[in-house]
Amino acid sequence: MPIIHTVNKSPYERNSLDSAISHALKGSSVIMYEDGVYGAMKGTAHADKVSGAMKDISFYVLGPDLKARGIDESKLIDGVKVVDYSGFVQLTVDNDKVSAWT
């Protein structure tokens, strides 16, 4: 039963990303949006945790929220996929459940 975990808070503000990763089972997905997109940046304290979880979990980031924060896609952790709003909706359709971490 695939679950998509949504994270909209910065990992520097809350532990939402850590909680999502620790609760995500193999085959799950995590999408970072709003200030959650900061968790997708390479070279940060959270990058190793995200990279290490990629063998079991797929990671996505909402492109328009990256752009709104002036973050170039080249600054993302390798393997994080960028989706637009329709891609976000499709992820929620493709998964059986949505778990929101705020």
Side-chain angles (χ1 to χ4, degrees):
M1 173 172 39
I3 297 175
I4 186 164
H5 298 266
T6 65
V7 177
N8 70 334
K9 299 297 182 198
S10 168
Y12 302 105
E13 177 186 356
R14 297 200 184 169
N15 64 352
S16 305
L17 180 59
D18 289 339
S19 296
I21 291 171
S22 65
H23 285 84
L25 301 175
K26 187 174 184 174
S28 295
S29 301
V30 173
I31 183 163
M32 296 167 267
Y33 66 104
E34 297 176 352
D35 285 344
V37 300
Y38 292 111
M41 295 179 63
K42 61 184 168 188
T44 66
H46 306 282
D48 287 343
K49 182 172 272 189
V50 171
S51 294
M54 283 186 169
K55 65 181 187 295
D56 295 325
I57 304 167
S58 298
F59 286 87
Y60 300 89
V61 65
L62 188 61
D65 287 349
L66 283 177
K67 186 174 180 180
R69 286 155 182 81
I71 300 171
D72 189 86
E73 290 183 24
S74 66
K75 295 182 178 179
L76 296 179
I77 298 165
D78 292 338
V80 173
K81 301 170 191 94
V82 179
V83 296
D84 58 12
Y85 290 112
S86 64
F88 191 165
V89 171
Q90 188 61 49
L91 286 168
T92 63
V93 171
D94 293 343
N95 288 273
D96 294 331
K97 292 184 177 182
V98 177
S99 182
W101 298 91
T102 58

